Amino acid sequence: MKTLEIKKIETSILLAICLVLFLSIKAVIPNFLSVFVILLMSFYFFPVKLILNKVKDFNKQNILSDIIISTSLILLIVGIYLDSDFMSIIFTFINFIFLIYIVFNGQNLSEYRKIILNHLLVIFLLQMIQYS
């Protein structure tokens, strides 16, 4: 099976989710459209990406990063309809602690730039949902 090579597309997908969520908060687009987009991207980050790539090529940091991003995106869906400030703060801290773990345990940080940028965007999304 061919390994899926997507590095910059994931970051641009998260930036698109930021835009869609902002437009949903400002009531320009309906909430169900943003929920649909977030749900598709959440399924992409954990099960689909793991199935399409070879499991042997992944390291623990990549798999854990995808799981954290996927659950954080699911939490965004909950945050759109419910006021769950506590859970979004908890997952913000989980993302931040994971970033600290990557920075201190990563041997070559140039490999982990994508992970760091993706988690910073997810932290931004989790904080943005508190204003909906």
Side-chain angles (χ1 to χ4, degrees):
M1 186 185 298
K2 187 177 179 181
T3 304
L4 190 63
E5 293 288 333
I6 298 179
K7 294 189 180 211
K8 296 179 182 175
I9 293 176
E10 290 177 358
T11 306
S12 60
I13 286 171
L14 287 173
L15 284 172
I17 290 175
C18 287
L19 180 67
V20 167
L21 191 62
F22 176 75
L23 292 175
S24 177
I25 289 171
K26 292 296 182 181
V28 175
I29 62 172
N31 283 340
F32 72 88
L33 182 63
S34 62
V35 167
F36 182 70
V37 170
I38 291 171
L39 187 64
L40 283 177
M41 291 306 108
S42 174
F43 280 128
Y44 163 74
F45 274 104
F46 177 58
V48 173
K49 188 175 172 185
L50 187 63
I51 292 170
L52 291 179
N53 285 323
K54 293 180 182 177
V55 178
K56 296 174 186 173
D57 293 340
F58 272 40
N59 55 11
K60 290 184 282 188
Q61 287 88 5
N62 285 337
I63 293 174
L64 186 59
S65 170
D66 290 338
I67 291 171
I68 291 173
I69 288 174
S70 178
T71 54
S72 297
L73 289 177
I74 293 294
L75 184 67
L76 284 177
I77 295 172
V78 173
I80 287 174
Y81 292 108
L82 302 174
D83 290 333
S84 62
D85 292 339
F86 180 71
M87 286 305 293
S88 65
I89 290 171
I90 294 294
F91 270 88
T92 301
F93 282 128
I94 289 172
N95 277 298
F96 186 71
I97 289 169
F98 183 73
L99 282 177
I100 292 172
Y101 169 75
I102 288 292
V103 167
F104 285 118
N105 284 342
Q107 289 82 15
N108 188 2
L109 284 180
S110 64
E111 295 176 7
Y112 297 114
R113 284 184 192 161
K114 176 188 66 96
I115 292 175
I116 292 170
L117 186 58
N118 287 347
H119 281 278
L120 286 174
L121 285 171
V122 169
I123 288 172
F124 177 71
L125 282 168
L126 287 171
Q127 293 305 307
M128 196 164 82
I129 199 65
Q130 292 181 0
Y131 297 106
S132 63

